[in-house]
Amino acid sequence: MRIAYLLADPGIGVFGTKGACVHVQEMVRALRSHNHEVTVYCTKRGDRPGRPETESVPDDLADLPVVVIPVPGARDAAAREAAVAQAAEQMARLAAADGAEAAYERYSLFSEAGARLVELTGVPLAVEVNAPLIEEQRDHRTLHDETTAWSATRRTFAAADVVSCVSEPVARWVARVEPSAQVAVIPNGVNTERIRPQAEDQAGQATRPFTIGFVGTLKPWHGTEMLLRAVATASGREPGGWRLEICGYGPELARLRALAEELGLEGTVHFLGAVPPARIPRILEGFDVAVAPYPRPASGEHYFSPLKVYEYLAAQVAVVASAVGDLPEVLGHGSCGLLVSPGDVDALANALDQLARHPELRARLAAAGRAAVVAEHSWHRRCAQLLTMLGHRPQAVIPG
C-alpha cells in the first residue's frame, strides 16, 4: 500500500534532531517494516529549512521519498498560520496526484491535509495526536487565529478513520474537541533493534565516574533544573565524584548552564547539545542511570508519552523517573525503574544515591526494563495495532 505521511508542522524536519523527528522516522520505519511504501510530505528536511547541513539522514532512510513544500519565512503569527494552511492544501493535492492509497498525518496546527486528501480520494486516514496543540500554542507561544485552529482540528479529527493518541489525557481531549472522532490510545514506543544494550568491558566501567544521563529538549516542563539540583545534593555525599551528561538543546540551555555554575557543578555537568538520532544509542551506552525528572504539572494532567524513557529502557540502562502520567505503568510500578514524587529534589537525590551504591540493583532494573520494552513497547508492535484499526492486516517482516 502506498502511504502518504503528512507532516505540516513547520517546526519538525523529517531528518532533524528533535524527539519529534525520531518519532517520524520510527513510524516510517515501522510502516515500511510492514511492507508498505511511504512518501513523506513535509515543510522541511532538517532542523532549518533549506539548510542541508542541518539534516541527519540515517542510512536506512536514505531512499525515503520526501516531498518538501516550504513554509516561507513569515513576519508574524498570522502570516505563518496562513502559510501552514496553504502548504497543507498543497500536500493533499500532491499526495492525491501521486496515487496515495492511505494517509498518516501527524496532527499539526492549521493543517487540514489529511481531511482534504480524504475529500479528494476517499483513502483511509490515521491521525496521530501527541498533545493538545491549541492550548500549548496559546499558553507557551503565540496563537493568532484560534477560531480557525479549532475548525481545522475538528475537521481533521472527524475525517480520520483512527485518531491515535499517545496517552489517555490526550484521548480525552480529542473526544471533547470532536465527539465523533474514532479515538484510540497508542503510546510511543522504541526501536529495540536500533537501540540495544552494549556490553562494556569491566576495565572501562572501573575507570570512568558514575554517570547519570538525560536526553531531551531543554524546556521547563522536562524538569532538568531539578536534576541539576538533585545531582548537586547527592554527589556531595560521594567522594569519588559523579558525571552528568545532558543531551539536548532548547531555550533553557543558558539558564541551566548558569545554574550548574551556581551549584558548583562545572566539572560534573557536560552539555552535549543537539545530537542526531543516529548517535543516541552510543551515548546511552555510557550512562549508568538515565533520568526523566518531570515536575508536577502546573495545571491539568501530564499528557506526554516520553520517547526518552522507552529509549533508556531499550539501551538497558537503569531509570529514575517522576511518577507522573503513564510512567508508573511503563516502569512496572517500580519493577523496571525507580519512581520519585514529581518535583521532589531530595527524593531524586536519594534514588540516584541508592543506584550509585548498588550496582546489582541497577543491573536488575535495567534487565527488567529491556525485557519489558522488547515484549510490549516496540514501534513495530505499535504500528501493527494502528494498521489493524485502519483495516489493514499487518505483515510482520522486521521486528524492532
Side-chain angles (χ1 to χ4, degrees), residues 271-322:
F271 292 93
L272 306 184
V275 173
R279 286 182 51 204
I280 293 296
R282 182 66 180 165
I283 288 172
L284 294 176
E285 289 175 22
F287 293 172
D288 294 298
V289 174
V291 184
Y294 291 101
R296 192 176 299 282
S299 62
E301 300 174 281
H302 179 94
Y303 53 79
F304 303 128
S305 177
L307 280 170
K308 65 168 67 64
V309 174
Y310 291 110
E311 294 189 343
Y312 296 161
L313 294 171
Q316 201 162 308
V317 177
V319 174
V320 181
S322 299

Short mmCIF file of all heavy atoms in Angstrom, two decimals, residues 271-322:
data_model
loop_
_atom_site.label_atom_id
_atom_site.label_comp_id
_atom_site.label_asym_id
_atom_site.label_seq_id
_atom_site.Cartn_x
_atom_site.Cartn_y
_atom_site.Cartn_z
N PHE A 271 27.24 19.45 28.91
CA PHE A 271 26.13 19.69 27.98
C PHE A 271 26.58 19.27 26.59
O PHE A 271 27.51 19.85 26.01
CB PHE A 271 25.76 21.18 28.00
CG PHE A 271 25.13 21.63 29.29
CD1 PHE A 271 25.91 22.17 30.32
CD2 PHE A 271 23.76 21.50 29.50
CE1 PHE A 271 25.34 22.59 31.52
CE2 PHE A 271 23.19 21.92 30.70
CZ PHE A 271 23.98 22.46 31.71
N LEU A 272 25.92 18.26 26.03
CA LEU A 272 26.34 17.68 24.75
C LEU A 272 25.67 18.35 23.56
O LEU A 272 26.07 18.10 22.42
CB LEU A 272 26.03 16.18 24.73
CG LEU A 272 26.59 15.34 25.89
CD1 LEU A 272 26.28 13.87 25.68
CD2 LEU A 272 28.09 15.56 26.05
N GLY A 273 24.65 19.18 23.79
CA GLY A 273 23.98 19.87 22.70
C GLY A 273 23.03 18.97 21.93
O GLY A 273 22.74 17.84 22.33
N ALA A 274 22.57 19.48 20.77
CA ALA A 274 21.67 18.70 19.91
C ALA A 274 22.46 17.58 19.25
O ALA A 274 23.55 17.81 18.73
CB ALA A 274 21.04 19.60 18.85
N VAL A 275 21.90 16.40 19.28
CA VAL A 275 22.61 15.22 18.77
C VAL A 275 21.72 14.50 17.76
O VAL A 275 20.54 14.26 18.02
CB VAL A 275 22.94 14.26 19.94
CG1 VAL A 275 23.53 12.96 19.42
CG2 VAL A 275 23.92 14.93 20.91
N PRO A 276 22.24 14.13 16.59
CA PRO A 276 21.44 13.38 15.62
C PRO A 276 20.96 12.06 16.22
O PRO A 276 21.70 11.43 17.01
CB PRO A 276 22.41 13.13 14.46
CG PRO A 276 23.47 14.16 14.62
CD PRO A 276 23.60 14.42 16.08
N PRO A 277 19.77 11.60 15.86
CA PRO A 277 19.26 10.34 16.43
C PRO A 277 20.21 9.16 16.27
O PRO A 277 20.26 8.29 17.13
CB PRO A 277 17.96 10.12 15.64
CG PRO A 277 17.52 11.50 15.25
CD PRO A 277 18.78 12.27 15.00
N ALA A 278 20.98 9.15 15.19
CA ALA A 278 21.88 8.01 14.96
C ALA A 278 22.96 7.89 16.04
O ALA A 278 23.50 6.80 16.25
CB ALA A 278 22.52 8.13 13.58
N ARG A 279 23.27 9.01 16.70
CA ARG A 279 24.32 8.97 17.74
C ARG A 279 23.78 8.63 19.12
O ARG A 279 24.55 8.36 20.05
CB ARG A 279 25.05 10.31 17.80
CG ARG A 279 26.01 10.56 16.63
CD ARG A 279 26.73 11.89 16.81
NE ARG A 279 27.35 12.01 18.12
CZ ARG A 279 27.62 13.18 18.70
NH1 ARG A 279 27.32 14.31 18.09
NH2 ARG A 279 28.17 13.23 19.90
N ILE A 280 22.47 8.67 19.30
CA ILE A 280 21.89 8.46 20.63
C ILE A 280 22.23 7.08 21.21
O ILE A 280 22.59 6.98 22.40
CB ILE A 280 20.36 8.67 20.59
CG1 ILE A 280 20.06 10.15 20.30
CG2 ILE A 280 19.70 8.24 21.90
CD1 ILE A 280 20.53 11.12 21.38
N PRO A 281 22.14 5.99 20.44
CA PRO A 281 22.46 4.68 21.05
C PRO A 281 23.85 4.65 21.67
O PRO A 281 24.05 4.11 22.76
CB PRO A 281 22.34 3.72 19.87
CG PRO A 281 21.35 4.36 18.95
CD PRO A 281 21.65 5.83 19.05
N ARG A 282 24.83 5.24 21.00
CA ARG A 282 26.20 5.24 21.52
C ARG A 282 26.30 6.06 22.82
O ARG A 282 27.01 5.68 23.75
CB ARG A 282 27.13 5.82 20.45
CG ARG A 282 28.60 5.83 20.85
CD ARG A 282 29.15 4.44 20.99
NE ARG A 282 30.56 4.45 21.38
CZ ARG A 282 31.21 3.39 21.83
NH1 ARG A 282 30.58 2.24 21.96
NH2 ARG A 282 32.48 3.47 22.16
N ILE A 283 25.57 7.17 22.88
CA ILE A 283 25.59 8.00 24.09
C ILE A 283 24.94 7.25 25.26
O ILE A 283 25.45 7.27 26.39
CB ILE A 283 24.89 9.34 23.82
CG1 ILE A 283 25.79 10.19 22.92
CG2 ILE A 283 24.57 10.08 25.12
CD1 ILE A 283 25.14 11.46 22.43
N LEU A 284 23.83 6.58 25.00
CA LEU A 284 23.15 5.84 26.07
C LEU A 284 24.04 4.75 26.67
O LEU A 284 23.93 4.43 27.86
CB LEU A 284 21.86 5.22 25.54
CG LEU A 284 20.75 6.20 25.12
CD1 LEU A 284 19.57 5.43 24.52
CD2 LEU A 284 20.29 7.05 26.28
N GLU A 285 24.94 4.20 25.85
CA GLU A 285 25.84 3.16 26.35
C GLU A 285 26.69 3.65 27.52
O GLU A 285 27.11 2.86 28.36
CB GLU A 285 26.79 2.69 25.24
CG GLU A 285 26.14 1.89 24.15
CD GLU A 285 27.13 1.60 23.03
OE1 GLU A 285 28.37 1.64 23.29
OE2 GLU A 285 26.69 1.33 21.91
N GLY A 286 26.95 4.94 27.56
CA GLY A 286 27.84 5.48 28.60
C GLY A 286 27.13 5.86 29.88
O GLY A 286 27.77 6.33 30.83
N PHE A 287 25.79 5.68 29.95
CA PHE A 287 25.04 6.04 31.15
C PHE A 287 24.97 4.85 32.11
O PHE A 287 24.74 3.71 31.69
CB PHE A 287 23.60 6.43 30.81
CG PHE A 287 23.44 7.69 30.01
CD1 PHE A 287 22.18 8.04 29.52
CD2 PHE A 287 24.50 8.54 29.75
CE1 PHE A 287 21.99 9.20 28.78
CE2 PHE A 287 24.33 9.70 29.00
CZ PHE A 287 23.07 10.03 28.52
N ASP A 288 25.15 5.12 33.40
CA ASP A 288 24.83 4.13 34.43
C ASP A 288 23.37 4.26 34.84
O ASP A 288 22.72 3.27 35.19
CB ASP A 288 25.72 4.34 35.66
CG ASP A 288 27.18 4.04 35.36
OD1 ASP A 288 27.48 2.89 35.00
OD2 ASP A 288 28.00 4.97 35.46
N VAL A 289 22.88 5.48 34.84
CA VAL A 289 21.49 5.77 35.20
C VAL A 289 20.98 6.85 34.25
O VAL A 289 21.71 7.79 33.93
CB VAL A 289 21.37 6.27 36.66
CG1 VAL A 289 19.94 6.69 36.97
CG2 VAL A 289 21.83 5.21 37.63
N ALA A 290 19.74 6.73 33.79
CA ALA A 290 19.13 7.75 32.95
C ALA A 290 17.88 8.28 33.65
O ALA A 290 17.17 7.51 34.32
CB ALA A 290 18.77 7.17 31.58
N VAL A 291 17.62 9.56 33.47
CA VAL A 291 16.61 10.22 34.31
C VAL A 291 15.57 10.95 33.46
O VAL A 291 15.88 11.57 32.44
CB VAL A 291 17.30 11.23 35.26
CG1 VAL A 291 16.27 11.86 36.21
CG2 VAL A 291 18.40 10.54 36.06
N ALA A 292 14.31 10.87 33.91
CA ALA A 292 13.19 11.65 33.35
C ALA A 292 12.57 12.41 34.51
O ALA A 292 11.60 11.95 35.12
CB ALA A 292 12.18 10.73 32.68
N PRO A 293 13.11 13.59 34.84
CA PRO A 293 12.73 14.28 36.09
C PRO A 293 11.57 15.25 35.94
O PRO A 293 11.68 16.41 36.34
CB PRO A 293 14.03 15.03 36.43
CG PRO A 293 14.58 15.40 35.09
CD PRO A 293 14.18 14.31 34.13
N TYR A 294 10.46 14.81 35.38
CA TYR A 294 9.34 15.72 35.14
C TYR A 294 8.84 16.35 36.44
O TYR A 294 8.66 15.66 37.44
CB TYR A 294 8.18 14.99 34.46
CG TYR A 294 8.49 14.56 33.06
CD1 TYR A 294 8.84 13.24 32.78
CD2 TYR A 294 8.46 15.47 32.01
CE1 TYR A 294 9.14 12.85 31.49
CE2 TYR A 294 8.76 15.09 30.72
CZ TYR A 294 9.10 13.78 30.46
OH TYR A 294 9.42 13.39 29.19
N PRO A 295 8.58 17.68 36.41
CA PRO A 295 7.96 18.31 37.59
C PRO A 295 6.47 18.00 37.63
O PRO A 295 5.90 17.48 36.67
CB PRO A 295 8.20 19.80 37.33
CG PRO A 295 8.23 19.91 35.83
CD PRO A 295 8.83 18.62 35.33
N ARG A 296 5.84 18.34 38.73
CA ARG A 296 4.38 18.20 38.80
C ARG A 296 3.75 19.19 37.82
O ARG A 296 4.17 20.35 37.77
CB ARG A 296 3.90 18.49 40.23
CG ARG A 296 2.46 18.10 40.50
CD ARG A 296 2.11 18.34 41.98
NE ARG A 296 2.95 17.53 42.87
CZ ARG A 296 2.76 16.25 43.10
NH1 ARG A 296 1.75 15.62 42.52
NH2 ARG A 296 3.58 15.57 43.90
N PRO A 297 2.79 18.74 37.00
CA PRO A 297 2.18 19.67 36.02
C PRO A 297 1.60 20.89 36.72
O PRO A 297 0.96 20.78 37.76
CB PRO A 297 1.09 18.82 35.37
CG PRO A 297 1.50 17.40 35.61
CD PRO A 297 2.22 17.39 36.92
N ALA A 298 1.85 22.07 36.13
CA ALA A 298 1.34 23.32 36.72
C ALA A 298 -0.18 23.33 36.73
O ALA A 298 -0.81 23.88 37.62
CB ALA A 298 1.89 24.51 35.93
N SER A 299 -0.78 22.74 35.70
CA SER A 299 -2.24 22.64 35.65
C SER A 299 -2.61 21.44 34.78
O SER A 299 -1.86 21.04 33.90
CB SER A 299 -2.86 23.92 35.05
OG SER A 299 -2.40 24.10 33.73
N GLY A 300 -3.73 20.86 35.06
CA GLY A 300 -4.18 19.74 34.25
C GLY A 300 -3.38 18.47 34.50
O GLY A 300 -2.75 18.30 35.55
N GLU A 301 -3.37 17.60 33.48
CA GLU A 301 -2.72 16.31 33.62
C GLU A 301 -1.41 16.28 32.85
O GLU A 301 -1.19 17.06 31.93
CB GLU A 301 -3.64 15.21 33.07
CG GLU A 301 -4.98 15.10 33.77
CD GLU A 301 -5.87 14.10 33.08
OE1 GLU A 301 -6.46 14.45 32.05
OE2 GLU A 301 -5.97 12.97 33.57
N HIS A 302 -0.56 15.33 33.20
CA HIS A 302 0.66 15.08 32.44
C HIS A 302 0.26 14.21 31.25
O HIS A 302 -0.11 13.06 31.42
CB HIS A 302 1.68 14.37 33.33
CG HIS A 302 2.97 14.06 32.63
ND1 HIS A 302 4.06 14.89 32.69
CD2 HIS A 302 3.32 13.03 31.85
CE1 HIS A 302 5.04 14.38 31.98
NE2 HIS A 302 4.62 13.25 31.46
N TYR A 303 0.36 14.76 30.05
CA TYR A 303 -0.17 14.04 28.88
C TYR A 303 0.92 13.49 27.98
O TYR A 303 0.62 12.92 26.93
CB TYR A 303 -1.10 14.95 28.08
CG TYR A 303 -0.51 16.29 27.70
CD1 TYR A 303 0.38 16.41 26.63
CD2 TYR A 303 -0.84 17.44 28.41
CE1 TYR A 303 0.91 17.63 26.29
CE2 TYR A 303 -0.31 18.67 28.07
CZ TYR A 303 0.56 18.77 27.00
OH TYR A 303 1.10 19.99 26.67
N PHE A 304 2.20 13.65 28.34
CA PHE A 304 3.27 13.16 27.47
C PHE A 304 3.34 11.63 27.48
O PHE A 304 2.93 10.98 28.43
CB PHE A 304 4.63 13.69 27.93
CG PHE A 304 4.74 15.18 28.00
CD1 PHE A 304 5.19 15.80 29.16
CD2 PHE A 304 4.38 15.96 26.92
CE1 PHE A 304 5.29 17.18 29.23
CE2 PHE A 304 4.48 17.34 26.99
CZ PHE A 304 4.93 17.94 28.14
N SER A 305 3.94 11.10 26.41
CA SER A 305 4.35 9.69 26.37
C SER A 305 5.84 9.73 26.03
O SER A 305 6.20 9.72 24.85
CB SER A 305 3.55 8.93 25.31
OG SER A 305 4.00 7.59 25.23
N PRO A 306 6.71 9.80 27.03
CA PRO A 306 8.11 10.18 26.78
C PRO A 306 8.90 9.14 25.99
O PRO A 306 9.13 8.02 26.44
CB PRO A 306 8.69 10.32 28.20
CG PRO A 306 7.51 10.44 29.10
CD PRO A 306 6.42 9.65 28.46
N LEU A 307 9.35 9.56 24.81
CA LEU A 307 10.22 8.71 24.00
C LEU A 307 11.49 8.35 24.75
O LEU A 307 12.00 7.23 24.64
CB LEU A 307 10.62 9.45 22.71
CG LEU A 307 9.64 9.50 21.56
CD1 LEU A 307 10.14 10.47 20.50
CD2 LEU A 307 9.48 8.12 20.95
N LYS A 308 12.01 9.33 25.51
CA LYS A 308 13.30 9.12 26.15
C LYS A 308 13.28 7.91 27.09
O LYS A 308 14.25 7.16 27.15
CB LYS A 308 13.74 10.37 26.92
CG LYS A 308 12.85 10.75 28.10
CD LYS A 308 13.49 11.81 28.98
CE LYS A 308 13.64 13.16 28.34
NZ LYS A 308 12.36 13.81 27.99
N VAL A 309 12.18 7.73 27.80
CA VAL A 309 12.14 6.63 28.77
C VAL A 309 12.17 5.28 28.05
O VAL A 309 12.87 4.35 28.46
CB VAL A 309 10.89 6.76 29.66
CG1 VAL A 309 10.75 5.53 30.57
CG2 VAL A 309 10.98 8.02 30.50
N TYR A 310 11.44 5.17 26.94
CA TYR A 310 11.49 3.92 26.17
C TYR A 310 12.90 3.67 25.63
O TYR A 310 13.37 2.53 25.60
CB TYR A 310 10.49 3.98 25.01
CG TYR A 310 9.04 3.96 25.46
CD1 TYR A 310 8.23 5.07 25.33
CD2 TYR A 310 8.48 2.80 25.99
CE1 TYR A 310 6.91 5.04 25.73
CE2 TYR A 310 7.15 2.76 26.40
CZ TYR A 310 6.37 3.89 26.26
OH TYR A 310 5.05 3.86 26.66
N GLU A 311 13.58 4.73 25.21
CA GLU A 311 14.94 4.55 24.69
C GLU A 311 15.92 4.18 25.81
O GLU A 311 16.81 3.34 25.62
CB GLU A 311 15.39 5.82 23.96
CG GLU A 311 14.57 6.08 22.70
CD GLU A 311 15.12 7.20 21.83
OE1 GLU A 311 15.95 8.00 22.34
OE2 GLU A 311 14.73 7.28 20.66
N TYR A 312 15.77 4.79 26.98
CA TYR A 312 16.60 4.40 28.13
C TYR A 312 16.45 2.90 28.39
O TYR A 312 17.44 2.18 28.59
CB TYR A 312 16.18 5.13 29.39
CG TYR A 312 16.34 6.64 29.44
CD1 TYR A 312 15.62 7.38 30.39
CD2 TYR A 312 17.18 7.33 28.59
CE1 TYR A 312 15.74 8.76 30.49
CE2 TYR A 312 17.30 8.72 28.68
CZ TYR A 312 16.58 9.42 29.63
OH TYR A 312 16.69 10.78 29.73
N LEU A 313 15.19 2.46 28.44
CA LEU A 313 14.93 1.05 28.77
C LEU A 313 15.49 0.12 27.69
O LEU A 313 16.06 -0.92 28.00
CB LEU A 313 13.42 0.83 28.91
CG LEU A 313 12.73 1.55 30.08
CD1 LEU A 313 11.22 1.41 29.98
CD2 LEU A 313 13.21 1.02 31.43
N ALA A 314 15.35 0.50 26.43
CA ALA A 314 15.86 -0.35 25.34
C ALA A 314 17.37 -0.49 25.42
O ALA A 314 17.92 -1.53 25.06
CB ALA A 314 15.44 0.23 24.00
N ALA A 315 18.04 0.56 25.87
CA ALA A 315 19.50 0.52 25.99
C ALA A 315 19.96 -0.25 27.23
O ALA A 315 21.16 -0.39 27.46
CB ALA A 315 20.06 1.94 26.04
N GLN A 316 19.00 -0.71 28.01
CA GLN A 316 19.29 -1.47 29.23
C GLN A 316 20.07 -0.62 30.24
O GLN A 316 21.11 -1.02 30.76
CB GLN A 316 20.01 -2.78 28.94
CG GLN A 316 19.87 -3.80 30.07
CD GLN A 316 20.19 -5.23 29.62
OE1 GLN A 316 19.66 -5.71 28.64
NE2 GLN A 316 21.07 -5.89 30.35
N VAL A 317 19.53 0.57 30.48
CA VAL A 317 20.09 1.49 31.47
C VAL A 317 19.07 1.62 32.60
O VAL A 317 17.87 1.72 32.34
CB VAL A 317 20.35 2.88 30.84
CG1 VAL A 317 20.86 3.86 31.89
CG2 VAL A 317 21.34 2.77 29.69
N ALA A 318 19.54 1.64 33.83
CA ALA A 318 18.63 1.84 34.97
C ALA A 318 17.99 3.23 34.89
O ALA A 318 18.66 4.20 34.55
CB ALA A 318 19.39 1.69 36.28
N VAL A 319 16.70 3.30 35.18
CA VAL A 319 15.94 4.54 35.00
C VAL A 319 15.41 5.05 36.34
O VAL A 319 14.96 4.28 37.18
CB VAL A 319 14.75 4.30 34.04
CG1 VAL A 319 13.85 5.54 33.95
CG2 VAL A 319 15.25 3.91 32.65
N VAL A 320 15.48 6.38 36.50
CA VAL A 320 14.75 7.06 37.57
C VAL A 320 13.81 8.06 36.90
O VAL A 320 14.24 8.84 36.05
CB VAL A 320 15.69 7.83 38.53
CG1 VAL A 320 14.86 8.50 39.63
CG2 VAL A 320 16.73 6.90 39.13
N ALA A 321 12.54 8.01 37.26
CA ALA A 321 11.56 8.91 36.62
C ALA A 321 10.56 9.41 37.64
O ALA A 321 10.29 8.75 38.66
CB ALA A 321 10.83 8.18 35.49
N SER A 322 10.00 10.56 37.35
CA SER A 322 8.92 11.10 38.18
C SER A 322 7.66 10.25 37.98
O SER A 322 7.37 9.81 36.86
CB SER A 322 8.63 12.55 37.81
OG SER A 322 9.76 13.35 38.01
#
